[in-house]
Amino acid sequence: MGKKIMRLSAAARREERWGYLMIAPTIIGLVILNLWPFIQTIYTSFCEHLGFGNYKFIGIDNYVEMFQNPEVWRATWNTILFCILTVPVGLFLSLLVAMMLNAKIKGKGLFRTIFFLPMVCAPAAVTMVWRWIFNSDYGILNQLLGTHINWITDSHFVMIACAIVAIWSNIGYDAVLLLAGLQNISKSYYEAAEIDGTSKVNQFLQITLPMVSPTLFVVMIMRLMSSVKVYDLIYMMVEDTNPALTSVQSLMYLFYRETFVAGSRGSGAAIVVWTVVLIGIITIIQFVGQKKWVNYDV
Amino acid sequence: MKQSSMRNMKRLTTILTYVFLILGAVIMIFPFVWMILTSFKTQTESMQIPPVIFPSQWNLDNFVDAVASLPFVNMYVNTALMILFRVICAVVFSSMAGYAFAKLKFRGKNILFALILVQMSLPSQIFILPQYQMVAKLGMANSIFALVFPGIVSAFGTFFLRQTYMGIPNEIGEAACLDGCNQFETFIKVMFPLTGTSVAALTIFTAVFAYGDLMWPLVVNSDLNMMTLSSGLATLRGQFSTNFPVLMAGSLLAMLPMVILYMIFQRQFIEGIANTGGK
């Protein structure tokens, strides 16, 4: 009896050894590449960079300065505004596209391929053509509209221009995810509703929306998270010499400029920490709010 | 009477669906078409009012100019190597760790897995400055290693492949290895070969993400010859701020390899990216 337990535990110990061995590269990598940098960034946010990688601890000064800096508040507002402008409209259009692709139509695959295309293109390349489309003097958009709007240099329009590009870039991706959710809804619900004479609008409100809400929630969270972190698109659309920069600069863009252009690494680190706090707040709001509209009892 | 009005309704919905989808598709594809058309125009031609749609001559001058001002060959090679190494690292290390987290018992598993979840929920920018300082301290800035560095391990890949391994019943491994092969042999010979679809998805996801990444390559490789397609394009923007045909030619060159791959492997791309994102 005693011998058997010994043998089992020897096998268990072997299993444990293999377990540690197999996770070792990933865990060691995560500690060096992520855990340690995470701690360092937080520490840096309490320091002043003296140059050449030398730091002096200065307490909460960076944070005090940050919250007194209108540029930071503006960037925070810009980031939130970017989310407000892109996420609801983007989700609505994606759901619309997904529902149309879920209907009995021809050329489904071709449409899906076209809508998804921006996903595989580097944002750097894609924004370049949008800058050209939005160009105030020769851009095709102003020509078509017969206007002369400075889409990218006018502080009233630059955010809208960036939001359009963001929505255009993500529609196909979100639609593909939502389409997968729609395809999981059993046809029998619609057949039953059809017999009851339920209108299409009511079918959407009573069947489609509740049934797709878990997928919609996942897509929304994902889209929100990536919108809060938006950087590349705005960086490519609006260079730092653009007079409209302050009207569109996101927190991550400000972080990049503070840390790598201005070299004030301490305040840059404080901005990232502030962004992480903001992400945390948004996540909590979402998870509290989901109880009101996401339907899990399918 | 009611029957026929129902049928008319149905036909109207179908027509409207097509109208909206085609309109949407045109909006989606237009920027690409416009990019291609502009890249063949001369600068004066591109600035004509009213605009001309087709270039009068399909000349390649803009491509020549773009290639002359940016080391495109280097950028292709750098990008390809960065993607290659990141994919290899992600697949090898994440498969091992994903299998261990899904199938093996060891102490501290939950705490170690929490580390992965925390990494996934933090924005990559919180790691970027210390990562840059490490690369600089190693004297490895402006290298392929620097480009690969943050992608040596993939928390997301581990999470994703753990899900996959959890979906494979334990009995498969046990049955195949009745005459006692060790855990690693079970993994390599039996389990890993079953994860092809997920590995393909992770490969595509890693490649597309690395290809589009902008901040890290800009920060770590400032030497033009060591830039990726994305970061190289960002510098072209400054150089030719008003010469849009050259900018379009450069963007087209940067975009082409991935778009061609996408055209060949459409289904794998779409399903791969959708599967990884939907989790």
Side-chain angles (χ1 to χ4, degrees):
Chain A
M1 186 71 182
K3 223 174 173 182
K4 199 172 179 191
I5 290 169
M6 276 294 287
R7 273 232 303 279
L8 259 174
S9 81
R13 238 179 311 153
R14 257 204 312 280
E15 180 171 334
E16 190 167 75
R17 220 167 30 231
W18 277 116
Y20 289 137
L21 217 60
M22 288 173 80
I23 62 165
T26 299
I27 296 298
I28 293 169
L30 282 179
V31 168
I32 296 173
L33 289 166
N34 301 112
L35 185 61
W36 178 235
F38 175 71
I39 295 165
Q40 264 188 311
T41 296
I42 291 178
Y43 176 71
T44 307
S45 72
F46 294 104
C47 290
E48 193 189 340
H49 184 226
L50 305 169
F52 308 106
N54 296 314
Y55 292 94
K56 190 179 103 190
F57 188 82
I58 53 165
I60 60 165
D61 285 11
N62 286 326
Y63 289 94
V64 172
E65 234 171 78
M66 178 172 80
F67 289 123
Q68 286 170 351
N69 181 355
E71 208 181 4
V72 173
W73 286 112
R74 188 62 212 247
T76 306
W77 168 239
N78 288 339
T79 307
I80 294 170
L81 184 64
F82 182 81
C83 294
I84 294 173
L85 286 178
T86 57
V87 178
V89 179
L91 284 183
F92 172 76
L93 291 175
S94 308
L95 187 57
L96 199 66
V97 170
M99 282 172 60
M100 291 193 290
L101 289 178
N102 198 32
K104 272 198 218 103
I105 52 147
K106 289 194 184 84
K108 220 177 268 196
L110 181 66
F111 282 120
R112 203 175 64 151
T113 306
I114 292 174
F115 279 94
F116 200 77
L117 184 58
M119 196 58 213
V120 301
C121 302
V126 156
T127 42
M128 208 74 96
V129 69
W130 279 103
R131 283 166 65 97
W132 172 222
I133 290 170
F134 281 127
N135 185 280
S136 57
D137 296 321
Y138 312 106
I140 189 79
L141 186 62
N142 273 341
Q143 308 260 3
L144 283 175
L145 297 174
T147 49
H148 195 278
I149 297 170
N150 295 314
W151 290 100
I152 298 172
T153 50
D154 185 327
S155 57
H156 296 99
F157 290 101
V158 65
M159 182 59 96
I160 294 169
C162 289
I164 290 173
V165 180
I167 291 169
W168 176 87
S169 304
N170 295 322
I171 259 187
Y173 180 64
D174 293 354
V176 167
L177 295 184
L178 290 169
L179 183 58
L182 289 175
Q183 281 165 344
N184 284 336
I185 304 175
S186 160
K187 290 263 185 303
S188 59
Y189 290 105
Y190 294 103
E191 283 157 12
E194 208 67 57
I195 292 166
D196 289 349
T198 316
S199 72
K200 286 280 179 208
V201 176
N202 280 338
Q203 284 184 25
F204 171 76
L205 291 175
Q206 289 165 10
I207 304 171
T208 315
L209 209 52
M211 298 290 269
V212 84
S213 61
T215 316
L216 197 60
F217 179 67
V218 171
V219 176
M220 186 179 80
I221 286 284
M222 212 185 57
R223 190 52 58 218
L224 260 176
M225 291 302 113
S226 73
S227 303
V228 176
K229 294 185 282 187
V230 65
Y231 157 76
D232 40 16
L233 186 160
I234 298 178
Y235 174 81
M236 286 303 291
M237 288 284 280
V238 182
E239 55 267 76
D240 33 6
T241 52
N242 185 324
L245 178 66
T246 48
S247 309
V248 74
Q249 174 170 249
S250 64
L251 280 165
M252 283 304 137
Y253 195 161
L254 182 63
F255 156 76
Y256 174 80
R257 285 182 52 228
E258 280 289 320
T259 312
F260 297 107
V261 182
S264 14
R265 295 175 178 181
S267 41
I271 292 170
V272 187
V273 174
W274 166 230
T275 311
V276 170
V277 171
L278 206 64
I279 289 177
I281 294 171
I282 293 173
T283 313
I284 291 169
I285 294 174
Q286 287 311 316
F287 275 91
V288 172
Q290 67 157 330
K291 293 197 185 93
K292 291 210 165 50
W293 67 278
V294 182
N295 177 13
Y296 286 113
D297 33 66
V298 177
Chain B
M1 183 64 193
K2 193 153 186 276
Q3 274 289 332
S4 78
S5 86
M6 275 276 278
R7 206 174 301 138
N8 280 337
M9 258 306 271
K10 226 171 205 160
R11 188 178 292 165
L12 189 70
T13 334
T14 313
I15 293 171
L16 277 179
T17 306
Y18 277 113
V19 169
F20 275 116
L21 277 178
I22 292 170
L23 196 72
V26 168
I27 295 173
M28 294 312 289
I29 206 108
F30 173 76
F32 297 105
V33 174
W34 199 234
M35 180 189 268
I36 295 168
L37 289 175
T38 307
S39 68
F40 287 100
K41 291 175 188 170
T42 62
Q43 197 182 357
T44 31
E45 208 170 11
S46 74
M47 299 196 301
Q48 264 173 33
I49 298 171
V52 282
I53 299 192
F54 294 102
S56 56
Q57 260 185 327
W58 295 79
N59 66 55
L60 294 168
D61 293 358
N62 299 312
F63 293 90
V64 174
D65 283 352
V67 172
S69 44
L70 274 188
F72 263 95
V73 177
N74 289 14
M75 282 157 53
Y76 280 129
V77 173
N78 297 340
T79 309
L81 288 176
M82 168 182 73
I83 289 176
L84 177 73
F85 288 120
R86 279 197 187 193
V87 165
I88 292 174
C89 289
V91 168
V92 172
F93 296 148
S94 301
S95 287
M96 281 163 53
Y99 173 77
F101 277 121
K103 295 293 181 199
L104 302 182
K105 287 195 198 77
F106 50 92
R107 278 164 291 177
K109 186 155 114 174
N110 291 337
I111 293 172
L112 292 170
F113 194 68
L115 189 65
I116 285 165
L117 294 178
V118 170
Q119 196 273 6
M120 278 170 62
S121 59
L122 290 170
S124 64
Q125 283 88 352
I126 202 160
F127 315 120
I128 203 169
L129 175 64
Q131 284 173 342
Y132 166 71
Q133 287 172 332
M134 282 184 220
V135 171
K137 207 167 266 174
L138 290 169
M140 296 294 275
N142 289 310
S143 68
I144 298 292
F145 172 79
L147 292 175
V148 179
F149 190 64
I152 289 175
V153 291
S154 166
F156 169 75
T158 307
F159 175 82
F160 175 63
L161 290 176
R162 171 179 167 267
Q163 302 283 95
T164 307
Y165 282 112
M166 280 177 33
I168 303 175
N170 287 340
E171 288 77 22
I172 291 182
E174 285 159 14
C177 275
L178 271 178
D179 22 79
C181 45
N182 65 36
Q183 305 288 353
F184 193 74
E185 283 165 333
T186 316
F187 161 67
I188 276 288
K189 288 182 187 153
V190 186
M191 295 297 226
F192 179 72
L194 295 174
T195 61
T197 324
S198 296
V199 168
L202 181 64
T203 300
I204 291 169
F205 176 85
T206 308
V208 170
F209 176 79
Y211 171 72
D213 192 15
L214 187 60
M215 197 187 280
W216 176 254
L218 270 179
V219 164
V220 83
N221 283 5
S222 51
D223 176 358
L224 203 52
N225 287 315
M226 290 312 294
M227 284 197 173
T228 62
L229 289 163
S230 284
S231 63
L233 267 187
T235 63
L236 192 69
R237 181 194 62 171
Q239 254 182 72
F240 288 93
S241 51
T242 55
N243 194 340
F244 279 100
V246 174
L247 288 174
M248 293 304 102
S251 305
L252 198 56
L253 287 176
M255 232 163 60
L256 223 50
M258 202 51 111
V259 172
I260 291 172
L261 283 176
Y262 172 62
M263 291 300 167
I264 301 171
F265 301 105
Q266 291 174 33
R267 211 170 51 85
Q268 285 84 348
F269 263 77
I270 297 177
E271 278 163 19
I273 298 180
N275 284 340
T276 44
K279 284 277 140 53

